[in-house]
Amino acid sequence: MSTPQPSFSKFDFVKTFLLPALTVFLIPTLTLLFFLHAQNRFDYEARRDVLHAIQINQTLQGEERARLINFYTSKPMSELLLDPDFARRYDSTGRFYYATFRWMIRLSFWSIAAGVLVFLLGGLFVALSLRSQFFQYVSLSAGWHLLRIFSALQTVAQGSMLVALSFWVTALWFNFYSVKLILMGGILALIGVAVVLKGIFTSPRSDFTVEGKVIDRDHSSKLWHSLEVICDRVGTKPPDHVIAGIDDNFFVTEHPVTVDGIVYRGRTLFISLALLKHLQSAEADAVLAHEMAHFSGNDTVYSRKISPLLSRYNNYLDALAGGGVTLPIFYFMNCFRALFEISLGSLSRQREFRADRIAADATSAQALAGGLLRTTAYSRYRTDVENELFNQERALQNANIAQRVEQGFPHFAVGFASNPDLANSATAHPFDSHPPLASRLEAVGLPRVTDAAQSLLARPGDGGWYRHIAGAEEMEREQWNRVEANFRDFHEQTLPYRFLPSNDEELAIVLQAFPELQFDGKDGPLFVDYQQFQHPTWAGLVFIRDIKSFDMDENGVLTIHLEQSGKKRKELLKTARFAEKDQAVDAIDRYSGRYFSAVAYQQSKGNLP
């Protein structure tokens, strides 16, 4: 079996993740170099001043003078001050300066050393995580705690270094210090600490809501009996819950699942009514055997354990990304998140191959191949139908997605079998990444994916499992009605953002969502419409197409920068003089945003340069 090679090269990884991660060493390295320089400079000046004092001291005899000169030249002042008796005789201000240098050097050195150590340990955890699901969970858990502690300590350490640098760089090199610069460094450090604390103590939402209907045993005993037969073949217990929906996939999970506001815990199977209608009975057997095989291998157990860790990790990364001084630490942790993603993807693919082998043994390789091919084809066709509908530039009276898919899929499936990209296609899944079809079919003894597709997709599905579900048609139609209504509503909401009106129909759509507005102010009314703004204090109309940028100062004065026919101008709007100032500013923002969204859309369609 050939193993597909990842398209993300080692060079891409180094450029995208590793090099940014090394910026975690930037502030500690600069701090180390600077304070070593500062200490050496103070040592030089202290030795010079002491030797000069010895030379001009007339009370010193030759032997005593030579002893003192040898004493102060044999060791630098920074080293002599380590002796408590000697330090007590030294100037207190000088002692404080040297103590600052010494602690900054130590702090930066240990910061660098800790970073190197965590790099090595993190790499070890990633390597261990490739061995099995158990090692993956343990490694990710240990790595997450290690990286979280490291990032918190680094934030405090680098914040302290930043404050020290903000004083000493100017003080040492330019003989002055800036209180504002020091305050800025302190504020950045405090923000960084606050961001880390927020990231540590904020629990991310882990709700998993599924659209569908829970099928109990009394409602569809035939379905449950057929599932029990499949589970006996696979060697696992039946799921605790079965959810029937209209998504374009099947999956199993042990995450708590919310359906219609009720949380269901335990082992859950999601089945697609829309897909079951198009599958042969044997193909549905194979697909469901594949899903049950995930239960038998404890795949869902480890997925349930690992998922909260990943959620907390990702939540922490989001916090670090916006913390300013924490950005280098974000890059550092993001590098290991990317490495763990390689491990997660690798084991996810191994799980899929294992489930495929079990499903093929429990049913047949041909049935599994047909199920995978038809599921992939259905997902592709449904996406094409939805995209075609969404791209229509008129209000949809009826979406009719279900009807379009049901009527057109059999013909599409036959043509899909000759798709040159078929071998690289993959089925959708909310938790795992699936290997390409060619690799999966080759693993179960069907190396020629195109030949298999031609014969397996030539015959339409019989919907045998669909008929196992009592009231399946009513259930499916009810869910499609909700999906199609939401689809139409969302499509209609996007239409005004597509048009630079060229006819009455397009103009009516834009004006319905963006009507003409008027805001009364002490300097006169502000008029806002879909293409221009007007105010008595301005030199002329402000056409949205001419706007380059906006600025708002602390006094609430909005500056609109314009460029028309190569000539630049600006208009000011004193928003504080409007009774509805927030609404006025919001209208300017929304109406101009709509216009530029429409420009971008028309450019993407090739209608504008």
Side-chain angles (χ1 to χ4, degrees):
M1 181 186 72
S2 61
T3 302
Q5 296 299 315
S7 59
F8 196 62
S9 68
K10 292 179 181 179
F11 175 76
D12 289 330
F13 180 84
V14 169
K15 180 179 65 175
T16 306
F17 296 104
L18 182 58
L19 290 180
L22 295 178
T23 59
V24 76
F25 297 108
L26 180 61
I27 292 178
T29 300
L30 291 177
T31 301
L32 178 63
L33 294 175
F34 176 80
F35 282 103
L36 283 173
H37 160 71
Q39 182 173 270
N40 289 337
R41 179 166 167 177
F42 266 60
D43 282 342
Y44 169 77
E45 292 176 354
R47 179 187 290 117
R48 181 195 60 194
D49 294 342
V50 168
L51 292 179
H52 177 70
I54 293 172
Q55 291 291 349
I56 64 173
N57 190 336
Q58 300 300 322
T59 64
L60 294 175
Q61 300 299 317
E63 185 175 329
E64 179 64 13
R65 180 178 283 112
R67 187 187 66 79
L68 289 174
I69 290 174
N70 180 65
F71 176 77
Y72 283 105
T73 54
S74 62
K75 293 182 180 180
M77 186 62 68
S78 56
E79 187 175 338
L80 293 173
L81 287 172
L82 295 176
D83 182 352
D85 293 333
F86 180 87
R88 279 194 293 269
R89 302 194 302 270
Y90 198 74
D91 175 63
S92 60
T93 302
R95 290 202 309 270
F96 174 75
Y97 290 165
Y98 271 111
T100 300
F101 301 159
R102 185 163 56 251
W103 281 108
M104 285 298 108
I105 291 169
R106 290 174 179 173
L107 185 62
S108 56
F109 173 80
W110 286 112
S111 178
I112 295 170
V116 172
L117 178 62
V118 171
F119 246 118
L120 296 175
L121 289 174
L124 177 62
F125 287 142
V126 171
L128 288 173
S129 71
L130 292 167
R131 297 188 59 182
S132 68
Q133 293 188 107
F134 170 76
F135 278 105
Q136 185 179 75
Y137 168 67
V138 172
S139 297
L140 182 58
S141 178
W144 156 243
H145 291 299
L146 172 67
L147 290 167
R148 182 177 59 174
I149 294 170
F150 169 77
S151 65
L153 294 176
Q154 278 286 350
T155 300
V156 174
Q158 295 199 20
S160 302
M161 296 178 209
L162 198 62
V163 173
L165 288 172
S166 64
F167 171 80
W168 276 105
V169 167
T170 57
L172 186 68
W173 287 345
F174 305 106
N175 295 319
F176 82 94
Y177 64 89
S178 169
V179 175
K180 289 184 178 180
L181 186 62
I182 298 169
L183 287 174
M184 185 181 300
I187 291 172
L188 287 174
L190 290 174
I191 291 174
V193 172
V195 163
V196 168
L197 291 175
K198 179 183 177 183
I200 290 175
F201 293 107
T202 299
S203 297
R205 292 179 61 88
S206 57
D207 298 343
F208 180 43
T209 301
V210 173
E211 295 294 330
K213 181 176 178 58
V214 176
I215 309 297
D216 57 41
R217 294 178 184 273
D218 296 334
H219 182 269
S220 292
S221 57
K222 193 171 183 179
L223 169 72
W224 278 95
H225 174 71
S226 299
L227 273 176
E228 288 169 355
V229 171
I230 292 293
C231 290
D232 286 341
R233 293 184 195 173
V234 172
T236 189
K237 295 179 180 179
D240 300 308
H241 315 288
V242 175
I243 301 172
I246 58 171
D247 287 354
D248 57 350
N249 57 24
F250 298 84
F251 64 85
V252 290
T253 182
E254 292 194 35
H255 294 272
V257 177
T258 302
V259 181
D260 292 332
I262 301 174
V263 178
Y264 295 87
R265 303 182 186 278
R267 307 193 328 167
T268 300
L269 165 68
F270 177 90
I271 57 176
S272 170
L273 294 169
L275 263 170
L276 284 178
K277 184 184 292 187
H278 292 285
L279 288 174
Q280 292 285 331
S281 296
E283 293 170 350
D285 287 349
V287 170
L288 292 170
H290 169 98
E291 297 302 334
M292 294 302 99
H294 284 304
F295 284 140
S296 71
N298 286 329
D299 299 344
T300 53
V301 173
Y302 284 105
S303 178
R304 175 172 51 83
K305 290 181 177 181
I306 288 173
S307 182
L309 287 173
L310 295 177
S311 295
R312 287 197 290 269
Y313 201 132
N314 294 337
N315 187 67
Y316 196 55
L317 283 176
D318 290 341
L320 292 176
V325 72
T326 60
L327 196 58
I329 300 165
F330 160 79
Y331 289 133
F332 186 86
M333 294 196 66
N334 194 44
C335 178
F336 285 100
R337 179 64 180 84
L339 286 172
F340 275 117
E341 192 62 36
I342 295 172
S343 168
L344 292 165
S346 175
L347 289 187
S348 173
R349 284 163 172 76
Q350 291 179 31
R351 290 196 297 266
E352 295 306 318
F353 284 128
R354 174 188 170 276
D356 283 344
R357 289 193 299 271
I358 293 174
D361 291 341
T363 56
S364 72
Q366 292 288 332
L368 176 65
L372 294 177
L373 287 163
R374 211 177 297 272
T375 299
T376 304
Y378 178 87
S379 180
R380 179 74 60 86
Y381 183 61
R382 178 167 160 177
T383 299
D384 290 346
V385 169
E386 291 174 350
N387 286 341
E388 181 182 354
L389 283 169
F390 189 76
N391 288 332
Q392 292 189 18
E393 296 183 352
R394 58 180 178 80
L396 300 174
Q397 298 301 319
N398 295 291
N400 287 336
I401 300 173
Q403 181 180 353
R404 290 169 184 260
V405 172
E406 187 168 346
Q407 292 177 352
F409 176 66
H411 176 73
F412 174 84
V414 175
F416 182 76
S418 59
N419 187 330
D421 193 41
L422 176 63
N424 295 319
S425 300
T427 55
H429 197 282
F431 299 107
D432 291 318
S433 58
H434 284 171
L437 271 175
S439 299
R440 298 180 69 178
L441 296 184
E442 183 181 348
V444 295
L446 298 172
R448 299 178 64 83
V449 61
T450 304
D451 293 346
Q454 294 285 351
S455 59
L456 291 170
L457 295 181
R459 186 176 54 158
D462 59 22
W465 274 77
Y466 184 83
R467 293 191 296 274
H468 290 349
I469 304 171
E473 290 187 8
E474 180 182 352
M475 196 185 309
E476 183 189 11
R477 185 67 257 165
E478 179 183 334
Q479 294 186 45
W480 271 118
N481 286 339
R482 290 198 299 269
V483 167
E484 290 173 348
N486 292 335
F487 184 92
R488 289 196 307 272
D489 289 344
F490 183 68
H491 173 265
E492 189 169 341
Q493 291 171 16
T494 67
L495 285 179
Y497 293 87
R498 305 186 192 188
F499 298 133
L500 299 172
S502 59
N503 55 53
D504 291 342
E505 182 181 358
E506 293 177 356
L507 180 60
I509 290 173
V510 172
L511 288 179
Q512 182 177 3
F514 292 87
E516 296 181 0
L517 301 176
Q518 176 180 332
F519 299 94
D520 294 326
K522 295 179 181 178
D523 298 326
L526 169 69
F527 296 96
V528 175
D529 67 32
Y530 75 97
Q531 62 182 350
Q532 64 191 22
F533 309 141
Q534 183 178 1
H535 191 261
T537 63
W538 295 345
L541 291 174
V542 168
F543 291 97
I544 300 176
R545 65 172 180 266
D546 299 328
I547 295 175
K548 295 301 177 184
S549 64
F550 296 99
D551 290 323
M552 177 80 80
D553 66 18
E554 63 275 10
N555 297 317
V557 176
L558 178 68
T559 303
I560 307 175
H561 299 273
L562 305 151
E563 184 174 345
Q564 184 177 23
S565 301
K567 295 182 179 179
K568 296 181 179 180
R569 88 174 208 261
K570 61 183 180 180
E571 299 292 353
L572 304 181
L573 186 69
K574 298 178 180 178
T575 63
R577 299 181 70 79
F578 289 89
E580 300 176 298
K581 65 176 184 178
D582 292 338
Q583 293 88 333
V585 173
D586 178 66
I588 290 175
D589 181 60
R590 287 191 301 107
Y591 280 54
S592 58
R594 186 218 71 84
Y595 176 85
F596 290 113
S597 294
V599 169
Y601 176 81
Q602 294 297 328
Q603 288 174 336
S604 71
K605 303 291 287 186
N607 298 330
L608 289 177

